Amino acid sequence: MEHNTRRFRLDAERLYIGLKAAFRIFTCTLNNFYCIPVHMCWVLLLQPIKWVSETTYWFLEGIMFRWLLSMVALWSYSAGYNVVEVGDDVWDLIEERTLVLFNHQSTSDVPLIMAAFNSRPNLSNNIMWIMDHVFKLTNFGIVSWAHGDFFIHGGKHHREASLLELGSHLQKFYIPRKRKWLVLFPEGGFLKNRKASSQSYAKKNNLPVLENVALPRVGALKVIVDNAAAEQHTDDTDKIKYLLDVTIAYPGGRPLDLPTIFGGWRPACDTIFHYRRYNIEEIPKDEETLTKWLYARYEEKEAILQEYYDTGIFPDAYTTHDPKFEPVETRRLTGQRVVHDTLEFILRHIFYIVSTWIWLSFLYWVFTSICQLVW
């Protein structure tokens, strides 16, 4: 009898998880269908403003971009997949030109980053993302393209040309459009895809063999330093003055992924974002020294992640400091969970649903008007 009761409860729990996952997948998919086309319709309608005032156009486009990112943030937040922030307090840099480096583990990284950033007003609107060119082929690719994000090509055959294009893009788009934060994934791909080649390269070149991160590629970082970085963080210039090194740590070393965020079938959990900030003058300019500096950061990430995975406690002691520079004095984040405004989610959903009705009504009117003229 007791065995049958346990089995019934287990079957009921599985049924609940399955039904919840089906409902979430349906609603998240529907959310994509009514948000992204409507966003692009409004962006097209705003195009004439660009002829009068580009600054006004990009300001309005940035607001709408943040609204759309809040829809992505809701996917993980509603499933209980939260972001917990530790390390340096970086939120006084929202209005500063800042380069942000992330380790890259899975397809859930970007939605969780969007969730963390969307909780801060005026941040998501003013971000430029540097992403793999494959992202351009996704449903969100057209939105990122319209926002002015850069799609980088990897591989030996495309790398040099892509880096030249990045330098040009920074000069023509990032700086003139007054974007603030610039997001880069130096590993050049997901850990599961890069791990084998990274370890093989490390063994051949007498470098540390890493398990929890891949050896980063310095090319894009070098281009950014050369084209968009200030000499000192105190300079009176509109170039990058700070660098944030962010380590993403999933509980137990088991990354979430996009299907899991859609379905919500894994138990709720906290993903840790560890922030470490540098003034731009701490970042080496020549390629060899910059490469060593970047490798050192990823060795630190390796140690941090390994200790977290082994103990379940996230350390905050790996903070080697270059004695040539004064330590950055900043407040510490001690494990705050990112919280979103539920009313904002509701109002933005209403905006997108009403906008869908408006645009469908407009297209129906156009269609019927054409039919009446023809027939």
Side-chain angles (χ1 to χ4, degrees), residues 45-71:
L45 190 66
L46 292 174
Q47 290 301 309
I49 298 176
K50 193 187 295 186
W51 305 335
V52 180
S53 172
E54 282 202 17
T55 301
T56 302
Y57 168 79
W58 288 114
F59 173 76
L60 295 173
E61 186 277 340
I63 291 175
M64 296 193 65
F65 186 75
R66 179 177 181 243
W67 290 357
L68 192 59
L69 262 56
S70 70
M71 298 294 98

Side-chain angles (χ1 to χ4, degrees), residues 76-86 105 108-109 112 115-116 247-256 260-261 266-274 305 308-309 312-314 334-340:
S76 57
Y77 192 63
S78 61
Y81 302 140
N82 295 297
V83 173
V84 172
E85 298 174 325
V86 299
Q105 300 200 45
S108 64
D109 293 347
L112 290 175
T247 301
I248 301 176
Y250 291 95
R254 294 179 57 233
L256 299 168
T260 301
I261 287 177
R266 271 179 57 174
C269 64
D270 291 338
T271 298
I272 293 178
F273 279 23
H274 176 267
L305 290 171
Y308 175 56
Y309 297 156
I313 300 172
F314 197 89
T334 56
Q336 293 92 331
R337 182 179 285 176
V338 172
V339 177
H340 296 270

